[in-house]
Amino acid sequence: MPKFSFVDLIHPLVQKYAESFSSPEDELLREVNVYTAQHHPEFHMLSGHLQGKLLEMISQMIQPERILEIGTFTGYSALCLAKGLKPGGKLHTIELREKDAAIAKGFFNRSSFSGQIILHTGNALNILPELRETWDLVFVDADKVSYIEYFKLVLPQVRQNGFILADNIFFHGEVLASEVKGKNAKSIKEFNEFIRERRDIDKMIITLRDGLYLVRKL
Ligand SMILES: C[S@@+](CC[C@H](N)C(=O)[O-])C[C@H]1O[C@@H](n2cnc3c(N)ncnc32)[C@H](O)[C@@H]1O
């Protein structure tokens, strides 16, 4: 099966059309985007304009008091999600790599959410059990092999009718193959099957970019 990129999954013309009819990124988000493109070899990991806007819109709809993000990278998605926080609300975001965390911190400090975003540096699997919060909204966007573990750790701390969003659930289209190869693609396939079988959640897949699983705790 041929390899797809995010852009191939969504027709490039559709992507362009959707971007041109959506509100543009604000100045800081644009800067994070451009900076990451110019300085980071893994630029493709950044949520980007349309997905960022979706995260912002979902957060604005929920108006969360507590948001958890697993996988900060350079801070783009955290800044989008923070836009929906209730006054006094907090967003906790976890990043494994110190270098990426430092870049994100620099952008958070320049935003209007500097007092509301709490950045944790380290392995989310170690940090999550220490966070004693009730989450209204969770965004899972870190290492794919741990998605099931993240879900199991986080769901008990999500309030009833709270939401979890998990990114990259098509894994560049690789989960569509008849024989799924590679550790990450296999992990995502297992995660998708695990979510599909659970009866204690409501769920749907958003076919934007590399696919997002949207889950509501019943
Ligand atoms: C896809 S990127 C996140 C992109 C970001 N959410 C955005 O949209 O701009 C995944 C990030 O998760 C981080 N990561 C990977 N494994 C992790 C772990 N075990 N704990 C915390 N962060 C991890 C990586 O270092 C990377 O920066």
Side-chain angles (χ1 to χ4, degrees), residues 1 5 13 20 24 31-32 42 47 69 71 87 99 123 131 145-146 161 165 169 172 174 216:
M1 180 169 177
S5 75
L13 288 177
S20 66
E31 199 183 318
V32 180
E42 290 167 307
S47 279
E69 176 181 70
K99 207 173 159 196
N123 191 329
L131 300 180
V145 291
S146 303
N161 286 318
L165 271 162
I169 56 92
H172 323 294
E174 289 182 34
R216 181 173 63 90

Side-chain angles (χ1 to χ4, degrees), residues 151-167:
F151 185 89
K152 285 181 180 169
L153 280 169
V154 153
L155 189 70
Q157 287 181 285
V158 174
R159 71 162 162 83
Q160 195 182 8
N161 286 318
F163 291 90
I164 299 175
L165 271 162
D167 196 14

Side-chain angles (χ1 to χ4, degrees), residues 9-196:
L9 285 173
I10 312 295
H11 195 287
L13 288 177
V14 174
Q15 178 77 14
K16 226 174 167 190
Y17 188 89
E19 279 173 0
S20 66
F21 280 81
S22 302
S23 308
E25 294 166 301
D26 68 26
E27 243 174 66
L28 186 61
L29 286 175
R30 184 81 206 122
E31 199 183 318
V32 180
N33 203 338
V34 169
Y35 176 90
T36 310
Q38 288 174 347
H39 296 97
H40 207 298
E42 290 167 307
F43 165 65
H44 66 277
M45 298 207 301
L46 182 140
S47 279
H49 176 195
L50 272 193
Q51 183 165 306
K53 200 71 200 162
L54 175 74
L55 296 175
E56 176 191 332
M57 290 282 198
I58 288 175
S59 186
Q60 297 277 11
M61 285 183 234
I62 300 170
Q63 302 205 334
E65 280 178 5
R66 291 291 179 269
I67 303 176
L68 170 67
E69 176 181 70
I70 309 174
T72 318
F73 193 42
T74 53
Y76 190 94
S77 48
L79 288 168
C80 296
L81 290 163
K83 291 182 182 218
L85 278 173
K86 270 205 177 122
K90 297 262 190 277
L91 181 150
H92 290 256
T93 180
I94 310 174
E95 174 52 51
L96 178 68
R97 300 186 296 201
E98 286 184 11
K99 207 173 159 196
D100 290 340
I103 295 167
K105 186 77 185 157
F107 287 122
F108 296 159
N109 286 344
R110 289 176 47 208
S111 76
S112 54
F113 309 107
S114 57
Q116 288 178 283
I117 300 180
I118 299 145
L119 175 63
H120 305 266
T121 309
N123 191 329
L125 290 172
N126 300 329
I127 291 168
L128 283 172
E130 293 166 12
L131 300 180
R132 310 214 187 286
E133 297 279 3
T134 302
W135 308 115
D136 302 299
L137 175 60
V138 178
F139 182 44
V140 182
D141 193 17
D143 54 316
K144 310 308 159 197
V145 291
S146 303
Y147 267 34
I148 292 180
E149 196 58 31
Y150 292 142
F151 185 89
K152 285 181 180 169
L153 280 169
V154 153
L155 189 70
Q157 287 181 285
V158 174
R159 71 162 162 83
Q160 195 182 8
N161 286 318
F163 291 90
I164 299 175
L165 271 162
D167 196 14
N168 303 110
I169 56 92
F170 296 141
F171 203 70
H172 323 294
E174 289 182 34
V175 297
L176 307 173
S178 50
E179 194 196 339
V180 176
K181 293 178 187 155
K183 194 172 63 160
N184 291 320
K186 279 184 181 161
S187 300
I188 289 291
K189 181 175 179 277
E190 278 167 28
F191 173 75
N192 293 343
E193 287 164 1
F194 167 82
I195 292 293
R196 184 181 58 185

